[in-house]
Amino acid sequence: MSKFVRSSKYRHVFGKPARSEDCFSGIKLSKTAWDSNLIKANPKFVAVCWETGGGGAVGILNQKNTGKLGTVPLVAGHKGPVLDIDFNPFNDNLLATASEDCYVKIWHLPDAGLTSNLTAENAVQDLRGHTRKVGTCDFNPVANNVLATSATDYSVRLWDIEKGSELFTVNAAATNIIQCLAWNYNGSLLAQLSKDKKLRLIDPRQSKVASEVVGHEGVKGGRCTWLGKKELIFSVGFGKSGSQRQYSIYDPKDMSKPVVPPTNIDSSAGILMPFYDSDTNCLFLAGKGDGNIRYYEITSDPGIIFYLSEYKSNSPTKGMASLPKRGVDVNSNEIVRLYKVVDDIVEPISFTVPRKSDSFADDIFPDCASDEPALSSSEWAGGSDSDPKTVSLAPGFVKTTTKADFNPVKQEAPVGPTTEAELREEYEKLKKRVAYLEAEIIKKDARIKELES
């Protein structure tokens, strides 16, 4: 990382927190021990993993209704805590929730926001397949209605959320908790970082791990993200000492040697959350438990990553989300907006390029990813690739009013035995299965003793 002064249009970017009346106050952030960002945002809504007495819930905040919150309508359809959430990039009204109860659910939010709680019966789709708690869910950035999930059964599954069907499965993609999944720019590959200290490149349509490498040596885990069109993988984690936070950059074409080797940032216990803006090539790092947000510029110059500046605050971060680029305020030259969770407040932070001119700055606002999919789920599953469709943010830009198609075919939950005969038959099957597994354990124990002697 270089800190010498260099020419860059983003060298003077500064972060400014929103006024108190433009924040959301009165939230009840989930107290789950799972290490996720706990918040997601789009131009219409902010979703927050919510603390409830039983089961799991998500609070839905309308972007137009800031200030002190009253009673917040909840998406409350899970039997266990919600561990991760994500909005459909092509339909701001669709939300995916992943839970400790092993299920992933899809919810449709009204344009005006919720007026009452949604329960399990209101879910427009249930995705069943994982056998242990589901920790991550991430929508494909190019293909409509394609969702990637990972769970503590160490599998990665790809879903068509409209049909409610599983497209592909990558089994044994890790040997410890999967902490992060990240799609590349054209939605053809996944990067995965897990607590077994390995960074993996997954080809989901081939259902295989294409390559893997030992990343950061610390046991606390980390996160990863793709550096947009540069097709590089950026990872953050901890050094061997356990307190040194680091970053690395890898080329997926050859992951045996990092492009940028593990580089120390600072000493702190909080996991780092990376957010990359592919339009400006600016990278933001926010740490849990920190008040500060560091930001860098990614270039093609030798060194690749250059330090820009740091947003400083005394309020520790509990969660963080980034607004899609199509939602920023171009009139104030806002290039990125992050949503920071502090105690019971969600605080928007605008990162702005200072300019004297009031005219549209087309050099810092190139065409960005639009809310129109480039591929259907069936096209993507069939092997087609495409870059995201783009849209101009110049004055006169009209936001899409029609949403991407979503006509769910809800899958019914499997029905168990109902009659006495069916129950007895199922009981006999299970008894035989238990006897078989007990015999296998005895064989394994005997083999272990034999090897030990």
Side-chain angles (χ1 to χ4, degrees), residues 368-393:
C368 70
S370 75
D371 54 358
E372 184 180 353
L375 297 173
S376 67
S377 58
S378 57
E379 288 173 334
W380 179 84
S384 297
D385 288 329
S386 174
D387 285 346
K389 288 190 176 182
T390 59
V391 65
S392 172
L393 296 180

PDB file of all heavy atoms in Angstrom, residues 368-393:
ATOM      1  N   CYS A 368     -23.514   3.084 -15.014  1.00  0.00           N
ATOM      2  CA  CYS A 368     -23.418   2.105 -13.930  1.00  0.00           C
ATOM      3  C   CYS A 368     -24.377   0.940 -14.183  1.00  0.00           C
ATOM      4  O   CYS A 368     -25.218   0.992 -15.081  1.00  0.00           O
ATOM      5  CB  CYS A 368     -23.723   2.762 -12.588  1.00  0.00           C
ATOM      6  SG  CYS A 368     -25.457   3.241 -12.389  1.00  0.00           S
ATOM      7  N   ALA A 369     -24.250  -0.095 -13.375  1.00  0.00           N
ATOM      8  CA  ALA A 369     -25.122  -1.270 -13.504  1.00  0.00           C
ATOM      9  C   ALA A 369     -26.573  -0.851 -13.317  1.00  0.00           C
ATOM     10  O   ALA A 369     -26.908  -0.142 -12.365  1.00  0.00           O
ATOM     11  CB  ALA A 369     -24.735  -2.326 -12.481  1.00  0.00           C
ATOM     12  N   SER A 370     -27.426  -1.291 -14.215  1.00  0.00           N
ATOM     13  CA  SER A 370     -28.837  -0.918 -14.155  1.00  0.00           C
ATOM     14  C   SER A 370     -29.622  -1.968 -13.373  1.00  0.00           C
ATOM     15  O   SER A 370     -29.067  -2.968 -12.908  1.00  0.00           O
ATOM     16  CB  SER A 370     -29.411  -0.786 -15.571  1.00  0.00           C
ATOM     17  OG  SER A 370     -29.609  -2.066 -16.142  1.00  0.00           O
ATOM     18  N   ASP A 371     -30.938  -1.732 -13.257  1.00  0.00           N
ATOM     19  CA  ASP A 371     -31.794  -2.698 -12.577  1.00  0.00           C
ATOM     20  C   ASP A 371     -32.512  -3.594 -13.582  1.00  0.00           C
ATOM     21  O   ASP A 371     -33.578  -4.138 -13.294  1.00  0.00           O
ATOM     22  CB  ASP A 371     -32.802  -1.990 -11.674  1.00  0.00           C
ATOM     23  CG  ASP A 371     -33.621  -0.950 -12.415  1.00  0.00           C
ATOM     24  OD1 ASP A 371     -33.377  -0.754 -13.613  1.00  0.00           O
ATOM     25  OD2 ASP A 371     -34.502  -0.323 -11.791  1.00  0.00           O
ATOM     26  N   GLU A 372     -31.897  -3.758 -14.765  1.00  0.00           N
ATOM     27  CA  GLU A 372     -32.451  -4.638 -15.786  1.00  0.00           C
ATOM     28  C   GLU A 372     -31.507  -5.817 -15.976  1.00  0.00           C
ATOM     29  O   GLU A 372     -30.315  -5.627 -16.243  1.00  0.00           O
ATOM     30  CB  GLU A 372     -32.622  -3.888 -17.112  1.00  0.00           C
ATOM     31  CG  GLU A 372     -33.284  -4.714 -18.199  1.00  0.00           C
ATOM     32  CD  GLU A 372     -33.425  -3.939 -19.498  1.00  0.00           C
ATOM     33  OE1 GLU A 372     -33.125  -2.721 -19.506  1.00  0.00           O
ATOM     34  OE2 GLU A 372     -33.814  -4.557 -20.508  1.00  0.00           O
ATOM     35  N   PRO A 373     -31.997  -7.058 -15.832  1.00  0.00           N
ATOM     36  CA  PRO A 373     -31.098  -8.217 -15.972  1.00  0.00           C
ATOM     37  C   PRO A 373     -30.623  -8.401 -17.406  1.00  0.00           C
ATOM     38  O   PRO A 373     -31.330  -8.090 -18.356  1.00  0.00           O
ATOM     39  CB  PRO A 373     -31.974  -9.390 -15.523  1.00  0.00           C
ATOM     40  CG  PRO A 373     -33.379  -8.931 -15.776  1.00  0.00           C
ATOM     41  CD  PRO A 373     -33.385  -7.449 -15.537  1.00  0.00           C
ATOM     42  N   ALA A 374     -29.414  -8.920 -17.545  1.00  0.00           N
ATOM     43  CA  ALA A 374     -28.875  -9.198 -18.877  1.00  0.00           C
ATOM     44  C   ALA A 374     -29.212 -10.612 -19.335  1.00  0.00           C
ATOM     45  O   ALA A 374     -29.214 -10.891 -20.535  1.00  0.00           O
ATOM     46  CB  ALA A 374     -27.355  -9.009 -18.872  1.00  0.00           C
ATOM     47  N   LEU A 375     -29.484 -11.505 -18.372  1.00  0.00           N
ATOM     48  CA  LEU A 375     -29.787 -12.904 -18.689  1.00  0.00           C
ATOM     49  C   LEU A 375     -30.961 -13.382 -17.849  1.00  0.00           C
ATOM     50  O   LEU A 375     -31.193 -12.879 -16.740  1.00  0.00           O
ATOM     51  CB  LEU A 375     -28.577 -13.794 -18.392  1.00  0.00           C
ATOM     52  CG  LEU A 375     -27.284 -13.562 -19.169  1.00  0.00           C
ATOM     53  CD1 LEU A 375     -26.179 -14.427 -18.582  1.00  0.00           C
ATOM     54  CD2 LEU A 375     -27.470 -13.887 -20.644  1.00  0.00           C
ATOM     55  N   SER A 376     -31.677 -14.360 -18.362  1.00  0.00           N
ATOM     56  CA  SER A 376     -32.678 -15.052 -17.547  1.00  0.00           C
ATOM     57  C   SER A 376     -31.976 -16.160 -16.774  1.00  0.00           C
ATOM     58  O   SER A 376     -30.822 -16.517 -17.074  1.00  0.00           O
ATOM     59  CB  SER A 376     -33.770 -15.643 -18.433  1.00  0.00           C
ATOM     60  OG  SER A 376     -33.243 -16.684 -19.241  1.00  0.00           O
ATOM     61  N   SER A 377     -32.652 -16.712 -15.795  1.00  0.00           N
ATOM     62  CA  SER A 377     -32.050 -17.786 -15.004  1.00  0.00           C
ATOM     63  C   SER A 377     -31.750 -19.009 -15.874  1.00  0.00           C
ATOM     64  O   SER A 377     -30.708 -19.663 -15.705  1.00  0.00           O
ATOM     65  CB  SER A 377     -32.981 -18.173 -13.852  1.00  0.00           C
ATOM     66  OG  SER A 377     -34.249 -18.572 -14.342  1.00  0.00           O
ATOM     67  N   SER A 378     -32.627 -19.314 -16.825  1.00  0.00           N
ATOM     68  CA  SER A 378     -32.403 -20.481 -17.687  1.00  0.00           C
ATOM     69  C   SER A 378     -31.238 -20.244 -18.646  1.00  0.00           C
ATOM     70  O   SER A 378     -30.462 -21.167 -18.929  1.00  0.00           O
ATOM     71  CB  SER A 378     -33.681 -20.811 -18.471  1.00  0.00           C
ATOM     72  OG  SER A 378     -34.109 -19.703 -19.240  1.00  0.00           O
ATOM     73  N   GLU A 379     -31.090 -19.021 -19.144  1.00  0.00           N
ATOM     74  CA  GLU A 379     -29.947 -18.701 -20.012  1.00  0.00           C
ATOM     75  C   GLU A 379     -28.638 -18.847 -19.244  1.00  0.00           C
ATOM     76  O   GLU A 379     -27.671 -19.406 -19.745  1.00  0.00           O
ATOM     77  CB  GLU A 379     -30.090 -17.282 -20.568  1.00  0.00           C
ATOM     78  CG  GLU A 379     -31.176 -17.129 -21.621  1.00  0.00           C
ATOM     79  CD  GLU A 379     -31.403 -15.682 -22.011  1.00  0.00           C
ATOM     80  OE1 GLU A 379     -31.129 -14.782 -21.175  1.00  0.00           O
ATOM     81  OE2 GLU A 379     -31.875 -15.441 -23.138  1.00  0.00           O
ATOM     82  N   TRP A 380     -28.637 -18.323 -18.025  1.00  0.00           N
ATOM     83  CA  TRP A 380     -27.419 -18.417 -17.210  1.00  0.00           C
ATOM     84  C   TRP A 380     -27.100 -19.873 -16.898  1.00  0.00           C
ATOM     85  O   TRP A 380     -25.953 -20.319 -17.038  1.00  0.00           O
ATOM     86  CB  TRP A 380     -27.592 -17.624 -15.916  1.00  0.00           C
ATOM     87  CG  TRP A 380     -26.388 -17.688 -15.026  1.00  0.00           C
ATOM     88  CD1 TRP A 380     -25.259 -16.923 -15.091  1.00  0.00           C
ATOM     89  CD2 TRP A 380     -26.173 -18.604 -13.940  1.00  0.00           C
ATOM     90  NE1 TRP A 380     -24.362 -17.290 -14.119  1.00  0.00           N
ATOM     91  CE2 TRP A 380     -24.899 -18.325 -13.399  1.00  0.00           C
ATOM     92  CE3 TRP A 380     -26.940 -19.620 -13.374  1.00  0.00           C
ATOM     93  CZ2 TRP A 380     -24.376 -19.031 -12.326  1.00  0.00           C
ATOM     94  CZ3 TRP A 380     -26.415 -20.336 -12.299  1.00  0.00           C
ATOM     95  CH2 TRP A 380     -25.146 -20.032 -11.780  1.00  0.00           C
ATOM     96  N   ALA A 381     -28.114 -20.634 -16.489  1.00  0.00           N
ATOM     97  CA  ALA A 381     -27.899 -22.041 -16.154  1.00  0.00           C
ATOM     98  C   ALA A 381     -27.431 -22.827 -17.369  1.00  0.00           C
ATOM     99  O   ALA A 381     -26.688 -23.819 -17.238  1.00  0.00           O
ATOM    100  CB  ALA A 381     -29.178 -22.657 -15.596  1.00  0.00           C
ATOM    101  N   GLY A 382     -27.817 -22.387 -18.573  1.00  0.00           N
ATOM    102  CA  GLY A 382     -27.406 -23.064 -19.797  1.00  0.00           C
ATOM    103  C   GLY A 382     -25.996 -22.742 -20.231  1.00  0.00           C
ATOM    104  O   GLY A 382     -25.513 -23.296 -21.232  1.00  0.00           O
ATOM    105  N   GLY A 383     -25.321 -21.828 -19.531  1.00  0.00           N
ATOM    106  CA  GLY A 383     -23.921 -21.529 -19.831  1.00  0.00           C
ATOM    107  C   GLY A 383     -23.659 -20.168 -20.442  1.00  0.00           C
ATOM    108  O   GLY A 383     -22.510 -19.832 -20.733  1.00  0.00           O
ATOM    109  N   SER A 384     -24.699 -19.350 -20.637  1.00  0.00           N
ATOM    110  CA  SER A 384     -24.498 -18.025 -21.236  1.00  0.00           C
ATOM    111  C   SER A 384     -23.859 -17.070 -20.235  1.00  0.00           C
ATOM    112  O   SER A 384     -24.123 -17.140 -19.033  1.00  0.00           O
ATOM    113  CB  SER A 384     -25.834 -17.449 -21.706  1.00  0.00           C
ATOM    114  OG  SER A 384     -26.402 -18.237 -22.721  1.00  0.00           O
ATOM    115  N   ASP A 385     -23.032 -16.163 -20.733  1.00  0.00           N
ATOM    116  CA  ASP A 385     -22.394 -15.125 -19.926  1.00  0.00           C
ATOM    117  C   ASP A 385     -22.679 -13.766 -20.542  1.00  0.00           C
ATOM    118  O   ASP A 385     -22.835 -13.642 -21.757  1.00  0.00           O
ATOM    119  CB  ASP A 385     -20.878 -15.331 -19.847  1.00  0.00           C
ATOM    120  CG  ASP A 385     -20.497 -16.514 -18.978  1.00  0.00           C
ATOM    121  OD1 ASP A 385     -21.233 -16.803 -18.016  1.00  0.00           O
ATOM    122  OD2 ASP A 385     -19.471 -17.163 -19.275  1.00  0.00           O
ATOM    123  N   SER A 386     -22.702 -12.742 -19.695  1.00  0.00           N
ATOM    124  CA  SER A 386     -22.890 -11.371 -20.178  1.00  0.00           C
ATOM    125  C   SER A 386     -22.472 -10.406 -19.088  1.00  0.00           C
ATOM    126  O   SER A 386     -22.615 -10.696 -17.896  1.00  0.00           O
ATOM    127  CB  SER A 386     -24.369 -11.139 -20.538  1.00  0.00           C
ATOM    128  OG  SER A 386     -24.593  -9.775 -20.876  1.00  0.00           O
ATOM    129  N   ASP A 387     -21.951  -9.261 -19.495  1.00  0.00           N
ATOM    130  CA  ASP A 387     -21.706  -8.200 -18.527  1.00  0.00           C
ATOM    131  C   ASP A 387     -23.043  -7.581 -18.112  1.00  0.00           C
ATOM    132  O   ASP A 387     -24.035  -7.691 -18.843  1.00  0.00           O
ATOM    133  CB  ASP A 387     -20.816  -7.115 -19.141  1.00  0.00           C
ATOM    134  CG  ASP A 387     -19.363  -7.561 -19.239  1.00  0.00           C
ATOM    135  OD1 ASP A 387     -19.010  -8.574 -18.607  1.00  0.00           O
ATOM    136  OD2 ASP A 387     -18.595  -6.902 -19.956  1.00  0.00           O
ATOM    137  N   PRO A 388     -23.097  -6.924 -16.966  1.00  0.00           N
ATOM    138  CA  PRO A 388     -24.343  -6.280 -16.555  1.00  0.00           C
ATOM    139  C   PRO A 388     -24.761  -5.197 -17.542  1.00  0.00           C
ATOM    140  O   PRO A 388     -23.919  -4.538 -18.158  1.00  0.00           O
ATOM    141  CB  PRO A 388     -23.983  -5.656 -15.190  1.00  0.00           C
ATOM    142  CG  PRO A 388     -22.775  -6.377 -14.725  1.00  0.00           C
ATOM    143  CD  PRO A 388     -22.036  -6.773 -15.951  1.00  0.00           C
ATOM    144  N   LYS A 389     -26.068  -5.034 -17.705  1.00  0.00           N
ATOM    145  CA  LYS A 389     -26.568  -3.914 -18.493  1.00  0.00           C
ATOM    146  C   LYS A 389     -26.315  -2.630 -17.709  1.00  0.00           C
ATOM    147  O   LYS A 389     -26.371  -2.617 -16.478  1.00  0.00           O
ATOM    148  CB  LYS A 389     -28.063  -4.076 -18.779  1.00  0.00           C
ATOM    149  CG  LYS A 389     -28.363  -5.170 -19.789  1.00  0.00           C
ATOM    150  CD  LYS A 389     -29.821  -5.131 -20.228  1.00  0.00           C
ATOM    151  CE  LYS A 389     -30.092  -6.164 -21.318  1.00  0.00           C
ATOM    152  NZ  LYS A 389     -31.498  -6.112 -21.806  1.00  0.00           N
ATOM    153  N   THR A 390     -26.042  -1.537 -18.429  1.00  0.00           N
ATOM    154  CA  THR A 390     -25.704  -0.281 -17.757  1.00  0.00           C
ATOM    155  C   THR A 390     -26.709   0.808 -18.101  1.00  0.00           C
ATOM    156  O   THR A 390     -27.476   0.701 -19.057  1.00  0.00           O
ATOM    157  CB  THR A 390     -24.289   0.177 -18.139  1.00  0.00           C
ATOM    158  OG1 THR A 390     -24.227   0.351 -19.563  1.00  0.00           O
ATOM    159  CG2 THR A 390     -23.244  -0.832 -17.694  1.00  0.00           C
ATOM    160  N   VAL A 391     -26.652   1.865 -17.289  1.00  0.00           N
ATOM    161  CA  VAL A 391     -27.563   2.994 -17.465  1.00  0.00           C
ATOM    162  C   VAL A 391     -26.812   4.272 -17.094  1.00  0.00           C
ATOM    163  O   VAL A 391     -25.922   4.257 -16.243  1.00  0.00           O
ATOM    164  CB  VAL A 391     -28.826   2.815 -16.591  1.00  0.00           C
ATOM    165  CG1 VAL A 391     -28.482   2.852 -15.112  1.00  0.00           C
ATOM    166  CG2 VAL A 391     -29.886   3.846 -16.917  1.00  0.00           C
ATOM    167  N   SER A 392     -27.152   5.367 -17.739  1.00  0.00           N
ATOM    168  CA  SER A 392     -26.530   6.655 -17.441  1.00  0.00           C
ATOM    169  C   SER A 392     -27.223   7.319 -16.262  1.00  0.00           C
ATOM    170  O   SER A 392     -28.447   7.231 -16.118  1.00  0.00           O
ATOM    171  CB  SER A 392     -26.591   7.566 -18.668  1.00  0.00           C
ATOM    172  OG  SER A 392     -26.162   8.874 -18.332  1.00  0.00           O
ATOM    173  N   LEU A 393     -26.448   7.973 -15.409  1.00  0.00           N
ATOM    174  CA  LEU A 393     -27.000   8.717 -14.285  1.00  0.00           C
ATOM    175  C   LEU A 393     -27.086  10.212 -14.582  1.00  0.00           C
ATOM    176  O   LEU A 393     -27.373  11.014 -13.695  1.00  0.00           O
ATOM    177  CB  LEU A 393     -26.138   8.497 -13.033  1.00  0.00           C
ATOM    178  CG  LEU A 393     -26.084   7.072 -12.484  1.00  0.00           C
ATOM    179  CD1 LEU A 393     -25.193   7.019 -11.243  1.00  0.00           C
ATOM    180  CD2 LEU A 393     -27.476   6.570 -12.145  1.00  0.00           C
TER     181      LEU A 393
END
